[in-house]
Amino acid sequence: MKAIVHAGQSGLEGLSYKETDGKQPGPGEVKVRLRAAGLNHRDLFLMARRTPQDPPFILGSDGAGTIEAVGEEVAPELVGRDVIIHPCLDWETPDIVPALPAIVGGPSDGTFAESIIIPARNAFLKPGYLTWEEAGVLPLSALTAYRALFTRGRLQPGEHVVIPGIGGGVATYALLMAIAAGARVSVTSRSEVKRHKALELGAHHAFDSQCEWKDEIGGEAADLILDSIGPATFGQYFEVIKPNGRIVTFGASSGDRMEIPVRAIFFPQISIIGTSMGSRQEFEDMLKFMERHSIRPVVDRVYPLQDTVQAFERMRQAEQFGNIGLTIE
């Protein structure tokens, strides 16, 4: 089968479109003929950390397609079913978090290929209202946003959510989900174009990430802030969050290390909460939530599988608004 394989050197230079050996499903597994897949920033981080000594592997955590074969202990009538892939392996419930969650596309082979072998439990019926491209980009970003907002962030209707750095997949899903849940949503971006797009999607307020946030946000302090940026913006959060507010962090695009003013946490009793990805139960709940509210992924641009490098270049330059997808013929 054709696949995007990473080997030989770190970064995008290690990617190649090549023929690889196909596999057959084992007990409890299914083989999915992929129709679409999606990029994540996680893919860039994985490639940057890999060395020439690491074995070749297939990237990609997001994907959707049709089950074409099943292994032992799997109902044969699943063949022909259109499915969307839950990328987190062996994580069943929200409260029992694996020490190191296993995920499709690292360490196991991923979705940037014509087919993939996954546990049957990780294949969910594709929502019928979604196109293949929409379903292909949905899994990891939407799951991360859902857990951040509802499981970890405990979002309630009427609360004010601030989403810094709008434009990426998780932030875009979080915007759509928070609005559907009845929250008031403010977003930030250095890009005027992205701020305008967020307002078109229903954001109540959008302002420049580099301004003084307390001047922009006025009297509408935040109940919840979703952080994917880290040190570049973290200091601003304490200027705009309510006492007893929550900061949920799931990324560090501006770096891993920062100083935190401890008194700004304990006097107003702020909670700083970490999250990443999500469980099988949350994936099921997320799909039901999206169907109930008819939420469609924001697809920025779609590339054929063989043009994956160009797709990653767009992501690396932070040019996208929403998710970047791949079509797999």
Side-chain angles (χ1 to χ4, degrees):
M1 68 173 182
K2 292 289 189 180
I4 295 292
V5 178
H6 192 272
Q9 52 187 319
S10 63
L12 293 181
E13 292 75 15
L15 288 180
S16 60
Y17 178 62
K18 60 191 297 184
E19 191 75 29
T20 63
D21 293 334
K23 300 177 182 178
Q24 293 303 314
E29 295 179 332
V30 297
K31 183 177 184 178
V32 179
R33 175 65 173 88
L34 290 157
R35 298 286 299 275
L39 276 61
N40 289 285
H41 281 93
R42 176 180 184 273
D43 303 318
L44 289 174
F45 301 147
L46 281 176
M47 287 187 283
R49 292 201 302 264
R50 283 172 54 81
T51 70
Q53 289 72 43
D54 289 323
F57 96 113
I58 299 169
L59 283 164
S61 302
D62 289 344
T66 302
I67 294 176
E68 65 176 10
V70 300
E72 297 177 8
E73 304 168 10
V74 180
E77 56 265 28
L78 292 182
V79 173
R81 179 173 293 183
D82 293 339
V83 296
I84 185 169
I85 294 171
H86 167 43
C88 298
L89 306 172
D90 301 320
W91 182 1
E92 291 294 315
T93 61
D95 296 331
I96 302 177
V97 180
L100 184 63
I103 183 170
V104 170
S108 65
D109 280 342
T111 57
F112 296 173
E114 291 179 331
S115 64
I116 186 173
I117 307 294
I118 58 169
R121 289 181 60 76
N122 286 70
F124 282 76
L125 188 65
K126 171 186 166 292
Y129 75 100
L130 297 178
T131 67
W132 280 116
E133 290 78 12
E134 290 170 334
V137 303
L138 184 147
L140 193 61
S141 294
L143 177 61
T144 300
Y146 185 88
R147 180 174 171 86
L149 279 173
F150 301 114
T151 306
R152 304 291 279 158
R154 307 184 308 279
L155 178 66
Q156 298 297 314
E159 289 191 321
H160 183 198
V161 184
V162 174
I163 305 173
I166 195 66
V170 179
T172 309
Y173 283 115
L175 166 62
L176 298 174
M177 291 177 183
I179 291 169
R184 179 172 178 81
V185 183
S186 295
V187 304
T188 83
S189 175
R190 290 175 295 178
S191 165
E192 184 178 356
V193 171
K194 292 182 179 182
R195 296 197 300 269
H196 182 70
K197 287 182 178 179
L199 293 170
E200 289 180 341
L201 287 175
H204 299 87
H205 184 43
F207 58 93
D208 192 327
S209 304
Q210 296 179 308
C211 74
E212 287 295 327
W213 288 26
K214 61 183 178 181
D215 296 334
E216 278 289 337
I217 210 162
E220 301 224 30
D223 299 281
L224 173 64
I225 298 174
L226 297 191
D227 172 59
S228 63
I229 299 174
T233 54
F234 213 91
Q236 296 265 30
Y237 302 161
F238 302 103
E239 301 292 330
V240 299
I241 196 166
K242 290 179 181 177
N244 206 36
R246 293 95 66 199
I247 301 170
V248 176
T249 178
F250 58 88
S253 62
S254 64
D256 287 333
R257 297 185 179 277
M258 59 186 173
E259 293 185 0
I260 296 178
V262 178
R263 288 181 178 81
I265 299 172
F266 66 72
F267 276 128
Q269 303 190 39
I270 304 302
S271 297
I272 300 176
I273 305 163
T275 192
S276 181
M277 302 178 286
S279 66
R280 184 179 185 278
Q281 181 61 59
E282 287 163 309
F283 192 80
E284 182 176 351
D285 292 342
M286 176 272 292
L287 289 179
K288 291 177 180 177
F289 181 89
M290 292 193 66
E291 286 202 78
R292 186 164 63 250
H293 296 284
S294 300
I295 297 173
R296 307 186 80 104
V298 177
V299 180
D300 171 78
R301 192 171 293 183
V302 178
Y303 296 79
L305 181 63
Q306 58 266 33
D307 292 341
T308 298
V309 172
Q310 292 94 307
F312 273 121
E313 288 288 2
R314 181 167 177 81
M315 174 175 279
R316 189 161 65 173
Q317 298 299 322
E319 295 174 344
Q320 85 277 10
F321 188 94
N323 292 91
I324 299 173
L326 302 172
T327 55
I328 304 168
E329 297 298 331

